[in-house]
Structures are given as structure tokens and as C-alpha cells.
Amino acid sequence: MIKQAVIPLAGLGTRMLPLTKALPKELWPLGNKSILEYILDECFDAGITEVIFVISKNKEVIKKYFLRDKQLEKAVKNKSNILKTLLNLDKVSKKIKFVYQDKPKGLGHAVLCAQKLLKSKYFLLLLPDDVIKGSNCSKELIAINKKKNSSVIALRKVKKNDVKRYGIVGFANKHKLKINKMIEKPSIKLAPSKFAIIGRYLLNKSIFKLLKKQKTGKLGEIQITDAINNMIVDENFYGCKFKGKYLDCGTTKGYIKSFIEMNK
Ligand code: G1P
């Protein structure tokens, strides 16, 4: 059973500066709640009971968002709907553990920071830039993991010109979505396909021994894509063409589109 998920939240949000200087993008609204709460809802609905937030000293406001504030509760005691949302956040906070990433050394390094808290063979990793509407992508990954007993990632075909923004996979067997290659943000020429990694990973803990020795890659960061590319030499690794609608909240333009989509 997959019960734990990791959500990396220590990134600098550079694509959305200066807005992210004061409010982390994960707390930006989408519909009537923050982006991060959509990601949490997906986790809990998929049976996750503990979520590990990887934050930094600069992003402690995320901790504050979830922590109980009795003074505020008192202030809205006659406004039952608002009080309910505050109490609900407090309920959710009981399922969250916080770990710190001291420097923004990349996604691979962020995941490594959560290692000591992970108990079972497999765990979920959800990137909060990517919201998936209409179908629970984590559930889809879990179903494939059950069937194949292997790691799984979410995939979506992107336009040729967009491959440089994503991790791109190559296939040993395209029909069965068995992956044999992964390159982070390749040029069009080097891209092994047009299938991009979208931010949902179900990973075997064996990734950690590779992450520990992983050298810095694209953008001078420790990339999880590079570690997985080494992992697939020894282990089966499958893709999941998920059913839902992918909302890219990782750029200002994408965020605006996502906001409109969620308010339809
Ligand atoms: C990260 C991953 C990349 C993946 C993308 C999905 O990139 O490194 O492989 O395709 O998320 O959103 P980032 O968005 O942090 O640049």
C-alpha cells in the first residue's frame, strides 16, 4: 500500500517573480482554494495518509497557512462557513510533516531531504506546479504500480517546441509505455520523443542510492530525471498517459489559464 507522498515546496519560484517574493506560488488561489490544496486533495483521495512537505526557511509561510490560529477562529466564530475552512486546514495539517531543504539544489536534492521519513518500498512524489483536473492521476499511477510492481510516472504528449521545458522520455516499448530513457529539458534534436513527464511520480526507494551520487545536471541542479535515467538500467519503469486535464501552474501565463479553467 502506498501511504506516503512527498511534495517539494522549497523552489524559488523564479518563473513567477516578483510575485513569488512575498507569496509562494503554491498558495496562489485556483478556484476557491490554493493550488497546494488541490494537490493535497488528490493525495488524500488516492489513499495517502502522510504527506511530507519539503520547505525552506524562506517558505515558512506555507507552514503558517496550515497551522491552527485560535485567534482567527475566534474572530470568525459566527461565520460558520469560514470557520469550517479554517478547521479543515487544521485537520489536514495533522497529516503533514515538514522537512527543510537548506539550499535550492534541485528537485532530486529536495526528494533526498525527505528520505529519512519514508517507510515503505514505494512513495508518491507530486509537483505542485502541475494540477490535474477531472481524474485522480495519483490513483492511476497506483493502479499501474499494483499491476506491474514497478515505478511509474505521468506522461503527456507536448508540442515539439515545448520539449525543452520538460523531462522527456524514450520508450523500450511504446505500446506498453515501458520507458528506457529520460532527458531533462532536451533540445528538439536530442528529445527521444514528445512525451513529457508531468509532475506525478510513483517511485521505488531504490532511487535514493542513485540520488546520493547524482552529479548536478541541467540548470546546475541535482535532477531527479538524471537519477531515474540511471535507475531504468536495472529496473522496469512505466509511463501513465493519465486521463485528466493537465493545468500548468508553473508559469504566469499557465497559471492565468488554469485559474480560468478552474472557475468555469
Ligand atoms: C520539473 C521536472 C521535469 C518535468 C516538469 C513537469 O521541471 O524536472 O522533468 O517535466 O517538472 O512540470 P520544472 O518544472 O521544475 O522545471
Side-chain angles (χ1 to χ4, degrees), residues 109-227:
H109 179 256
V111 176
L112 207 44
C113 295
Q115 180 187 11
K116 57 181 184 301
L117 295 181
L118 293 168
K119 295 173 196 139
S120 312
K121 185 173 173 192
Y122 291 103
F123 65 97
L124 265 178
L125 167 65
L126 298 95
L127 308 190
D129 277 2
D130 301 342
V131 172
I132 296 163
K133 187 187 170 191
S135 174
N136 188 317
C137 184
S138 294
K139 265 190 187 168
E140 291 177 58
L141 261 57
I142 291 170
I144 297 176
N145 164 268
K146 250 192 188 163
K147 224 160 100 186
K148 306 273 190 192
N149 193 21
S150 76
S151 301
V152 194
I153 42 164
L155 297 177
R156 173 110 324 161
K157 204 170 180 180
V158 296
K159 293 192 190 113
K160 196 164 81 177
N161 283 326
D162 289 339
V163 293
K164 57 181 181 303
R165 146 107 171 76
Y166 296 95
I168 301 291
V169 303
F171 298 103
N173 182 328
K174 195 164 179 185
H175 174 64
K176 293 187 177 158
L177 295 181
K178 188 165 182 233
I179 295 167
N180 68 354
K181 200 172 192 172
M182 232 175 245
I183 308 181
E184 183 65 18
K185 302 184 176 37
S187 61
I188 296 177
K189 217 170 125 196
L190 290 182
S193 76
K194 280 191 264 177
F195 279 90
I197 303 166
I198 305 303
R200 300 291 183 277
Y201 307 65
L202 195 164
L203 294 170
N204 189 325
K205 275 207 301 188
S206 59
I207 191 71
F208 288 115
K209 64 177 186 300
L210 296 163
L211 275 174
K212 274 182 195 147
K213 52 184 186 194
Q214 188 58 55
K215 297 207 173 81
T216 52
K218 277 272 152 70
L219 313 173
E221 294 178 345
I222 297 176
Q223 297 289 352
I224 195 141
T225 311
D226 296 337

Side-chain angles (χ1 to χ4, degrees), residues 7 25-46 53 65-66 89 92 126-138 200 247 249 255 258-259 261-264:
I7 305 184
K25 62 183 172 197
E26 298 85 2
L27 295 182
W28 290 16
L30 210 60
N32 59 0
K33 54 192 171 193
S34 63
I35 294 175
L36 188 49
E37 287 162 271
Y38 282 94
I39 306 287
L40 285 173
D41 285 350
E42 179 182 326
C43 282
F44 299 140
D45 181 47
F53 279 6
Y65 186 81
F66 288 91
L89 278 182
V92 166
L126 298 95
L127 308 190
D129 277 2
D130 301 342
V131 172
I132 296 163
K133 187 187 170 191
S135 174
N136 188 317
C137 184
S138 294
R200 300 291 183 277
L247 305 181
C249 299
Y255 166 73
S258 307
F259 186 88
E261 176 65 36
M262 280 305 197
N263 284 285
K264 267 184 187 167

